[in-house]
Amino acid sequence: MEWDWEFVREIMPTLLDGLRITLLATLLGSILAAAAGLGFALLRRSKSRPVARTTGVVVEFIRGTPLLVQLYFLFYVLPELGLLLSPLTAGVVGLGLHYATYTSEVFRAGIDNTPRGQWEAAKACNLTPYQTWRHVILPQAIPPMIPALANYFVAMFKETPLLSAITVIELMSEARSVANSNYRYLEPMTLVGVLFLCISLIAVPALHMLERRFRPTR
Amino acid sequence: MADWAGYLGLMLDGALVTAKLTVLGCALALPAAFAAGLGRLSRVSAVRTVSVAYIEFFRGTSIFVQLFWAYFVLPLMGVTLTPLQAGVLALGLNVGAYGAEVVRAAVQSIGREQHEACIALNLTRWQSLRHVLLPQAAVVMVPTFCNNAIELLKATSVVSLISLSDLTFQAQVVRSQTGSTALPFLTVLVIYFTYASLISLGMKALERRMTRGLDGLRT
């Protein structure tokens, strides 16, 4: 089978449309993963044992099971419980929660790395727990975590094709539909791979830059 | 309700396929990881280039794209694979690329003095790798390989999309036949989680075995 540039030119706009949705899902998923990951990390450090224990079990369970099945679960089971999510919403929630279990470990490590003296100083200054977290611990703990977090966001980007399984019209499903309607798989599938590779390759130097920028100074 | 036994049987069939994919995928990923990881450290620049290209390509594109490419595009080039073969190929090579970085990092983490000792003893490169560096590096690799194996297990669910009847596929079948959604998906999630726990337990046992007698050697 020959590579057909004419066909490539024809399908490129459709694929780029799909790429937009892919990037949107990655962006929203990353925001959710960062927020929920911080939530998980804080809950796991909760003083109440049952809360900490339950969060631990939930996080382990989400991390030990495939994202695809979780997406199906969100997409098919929740509507039965009366919660109807649009495909994109279900996809973003699935991606976000799945990766939150990974980012929560990053947050945990970052928080544990804050020197004891900072906690003691906060206590000595009579700060409330909220003030301690907000003004002392998190501002120090978060910058060194940024490269590790960004790493997971790139990984999430590569998992977005799974959203096509729950009918989100992103890059992969656009490619599959043009492939199916034209009976040509070579160009669409290869282009999807190339687009993913391009963005990942752009992400690598960007990650190195982040690492240099936020290198811990201690 | 009487049909449940039948549906459960269907899902157990799927569980078997998933187990097979995971084992075969790991069996391909492990040699791929060692070949590419050590290839990256080779003195021959051609070997290094090939290894880096393999690693960057498979880490840079998604497993999903690789699987579809193996299943839909390779036949156009005259290589026809069954869904199982395509699945094992894509999973093994993908996870192998991640594993290669683990191998490289582990070998590089062995202290300089070990390299120097090998040179002092006049060992060939192969001898020092085989008898000195790898036995020590392997211990460092095990925990990360455990994570990689679990990632591979989770990635097997993607093969359901190229119509291989694994666990996820069977859950979809049961869903479409019974209209019940919560039960099949919860069952499947629990089975995956059990598998992941088994891998993790097995790797912990392996790690304990391998570190036996190494205490105090590590600084």
Side-chain angles (χ1 to χ4, degrees):
Chain A
M1 186 167 238
E2 292 283 300
W3 181 268
D4 182 355
W5 283 107
E6 197 50 46
F7 185 53
V8 170
R9 198 161 321 137
E10 205 176 298
I11 63 175
M12 212 50 193
T14 327
L15 292 185
L16 289 179
D17 262 358
L19 185 63
R20 239 189 33 230
I21 301 293
T22 295
L23 291 175
L24 178 70
T26 311
L27 183 69
L28 294 177
S30 304
I31 295 171
L32 181 61
L38 182 59
F40 281 144
L42 293 181
L43 281 178
R44 259 187 129 160
R45 297 179 60 98
S46 158
K47 281 203 195 73
S48 139
R49 284 289 288 279
V51 172
R53 191 67 69 72
T54 318
T55 316
V57 173
V58 170
V59 167
E60 287 301 318
F61 189 79
I62 297 182
R63 199 172 19 202
T65 52
L67 177 59
L68 180 62
V69 184
Q70 291 163 7
L71 289 175
Y72 283 148
F73 192 85
L74 288 171
F75 191 61
Y76 291 116
V77 179
L78 287 189
E80 287 202 348
L81 307 174
L83 192 61
L84 199 60
L85 299 177
S86 76
L88 186 62
T89 321
V92 167
V93 170
L95 276 176
L97 282 184
H98 191 82
Y99 275 90
T101 60
Y102 290 91
T103 55
S104 78
E105 287 298 307
V106 178
F107 281 115
R108 193 181 56 78
I111 292 167
D112 287 349
N113 275 339
T114 312
R116 268 188 72 81
Q118 299 291 326
W119 291 97
E120 286 158 5
K123 186 164 266 177
C125 292
N126 202 20
L127 298 184
T128 63
Y130 173 77
Q131 287 171 327
T132 308
W133 282 109
R134 168 77 185 73
H135 297 290
V136 181
I137 304 302
L138 290 182
Q140 295 184 70
I142 288 180
M145 301 175 196
I146 288 175
L149 287 179
N151 224 337
Y152 280 121
F153 298 154
V154 176
M156 179 192 291
F157 166 69
K158 281 180 280 181
E159 296 252 29
T160 51
L162 289 181
L163 300 192
S164 66
I166 56 166
T167 71
V168 178
I169 312 294
E170 45 68 73
L171 182 53
M172 192 70 190
S173 32
E174 293 280 21
R176 279 166 83 184
S177 73
V178 292
N180 286 333
S181 55
N182 292 289
Y183 295 107
R184 286 189 72 94
Y185 286 94
L186 177 63
E187 291 89 353
M189 292 300 153
T190 309
L191 283 175
V192 171
V194 170
L195 285 173
F196 268 97
L197 195 59
C198 284
I199 294 189
S200 299
L201 288 181
I202 297 171
V204 171
L207 276 176
H208 283 303
M209 225 171 65
L210 279 178
E211 252 161 58
R212 271 199 303 278
R213 167 82 178 70
F214 291 108
R215 185 177 295 155
T217 44
R218 280 195 297 279
Chain B
M1 217 50 213
D3 295 338
W4 261 109
Y7 289 126
L8 197 64
L10 209 60
M11 282 201 261
L12 290 181
D13 283 348
L16 206 64
V17 175
T18 295
K20 205 156 95 186
L21 268 169
T22 310
V23 171
L24 291 176
C26 287
L28 177 60
L30 203 59
F34 274 95
L38 296 178
R40 233 189 132 157
L41 298 171
S42 161
R43 275 184 303 190
V44 187
S45 72
V47 176
R48 274 204 309 273
T49 315
V50 171
S51 309
V52 170
Y54 160 71
I55 293 171
E56 290 302 329
F57 176 77
F58 278 91
R59 293 195 336 153
T61 57
S62 132
I63 172 75
F64 195 94
V65 179
Q66 290 153 21
L67 187 67
F68 270 70
W69 211 82
Y71 190 60
F72 288 110
V73 178
L74 281 187
L76 303 177
M77 301 176 172
V79 189
T80 312
L81 299 174
T82 65
L84 184 72
Q85 288 166 337
V88 170
L89 187 72
L91 287 167
L93 290 182
N94 181 277
V95 176
Y98 285 92
E101 290 292 84
V102 179
V103 172
R104 180 185 60 86
V107 171
Q108 283 181 333
S109 76
I110 304 303
R112 269 187 72 80
E113 74 283 359
Q114 300 284 338
H115 289 271
E116 285 159 5
C118 292
I119 294 171
L121 290 172
N122 203 19
L123 297 183
T124 63
R125 269 178 78 82
W126 165 247
Q127 284 172 329
S128 49
L129 204 58
R130 163 75 185 77
H131 297 289
V132 181
L133 300 178
L134 278 185
Q136 298 181 67
V139 183
V140 186
M141 293 173 203
V142 172
T144 327
F145 274 162
C146 170
N147 287 339
N148 286 351
I150 293 177
E151 290 298 323
L152 195 147
L153 164 72
K154 293 196 297 180
T156 57
S157 65
V158 176
V159 299
S160 63
L161 300 173
I162 56 167
S163 72
L164 189 57
S165 51
D166 77 325
L167 202 45
T168 311
F169 186 85
Q170 302 290 26
Q172 284 282 41
V173 170
V174 173
R175 180 185 68 82
S176 59
Q177 286 187 3
T178 61
S180 140
T181 54
L183 216 50
F185 284 127
L186 274 179
T187 316
V188 165
L189 283 174
V190 169
I191 296 179
Y192 274 115
F193 186 61
T194 314
Y195 277 172
S197 310
L198 284 178
I199 294 178
S200 163
L201 279 177
M203 288 290 201
K204 283 226 177 71
L206 182 68
E207 198 186 338
R208 263 200 307 279
R209 230 189 117 86
M210 287 176 71
T211 46
R212 200 179 288 161
L214 281 180
D215 312 328
L217 272 183
R218 206 73 59 65
T219 42

